[in-house]
Amino acid sequence: MIYEWDPAKAAANLRRHKVSFTEAASVKKINDELRAEYDLSQLKGGVRGKYYKRATAGTNLVLIEPALAKAFPDSDSVNRASRLLLDAASSAAMPSRQRRTRLKRTA
């Protein structure tokens, strides 16, 4: 890994963490391996940076539970359900007069 020296960041880190870069670098090699509970045989075929462009484009990547993943198998179904929930919450939050007016317009 290649590091660039930034004196301003070094000073800020020293103030914040009370440890200089020099002192941190002198520590024995940090164990940068995955935790023991990760099954490496299931991680084969991964692509580093696969979601980088999406993440930097403002897209949110959300991990949902397996049971929900069966009900919402793709982003379109998740987005539709989210919009319905947002509309319902917005309607419920409106004063009753505005809600009646809105319902008449859409009817």
Side-chain angles (χ1 to χ4, degrees), residues 32-52:
D32 197 20
E33 297 296 320
L34 290 173
R35 291 181 167 184
E37 61 264 25
Y38 289 113
D39 182 359
L40 296 179
S41 67
Q42 294 182 354
L43 297 177
K44 291 183 178 168
V47 178
R48 183 178 178 94
K50 180 177 181 179
Y51 299 106
Y52 176 78

Side-chain angles (χ1 to χ4, degrees), residues 3-73:
Y3 298 97
E4 289 185 30
W5 181 255
D6 182 346
K9 187 171 181 180
N13 280 332
L14 179 58
R15 282 191 306 277
R16 183 173 186 185
H17 302 292
K18 311 289 189 261
V19 177
S20 70
F21 280 139
T22 307
E23 185 179 354
S26 71
V27 176
K28 290 184 180 177
K29 182 181 182 245
I30 296 172
N31 184 2
D32 197 20
E33 297 296 320
L34 290 173
R35 291 181 167 184
E37 61 264 25
Y38 289 113
D39 182 359
L40 296 179
S41 67
Q42 294 182 354
L43 297 177
K44 291 183 178 168
V47 178
R48 183 178 178 94
K50 180 177 181 179
Y51 299 106
Y52 176 78
K53 286 183 181 177
R54 262 198 259 173
T56 57
T59 300
N60 292 331
L61 179 65
V62 179
L63 179 64
I64 60 174
E65 296 174 359
L68 289 172
K70 288 178 184 175
F72 304 104

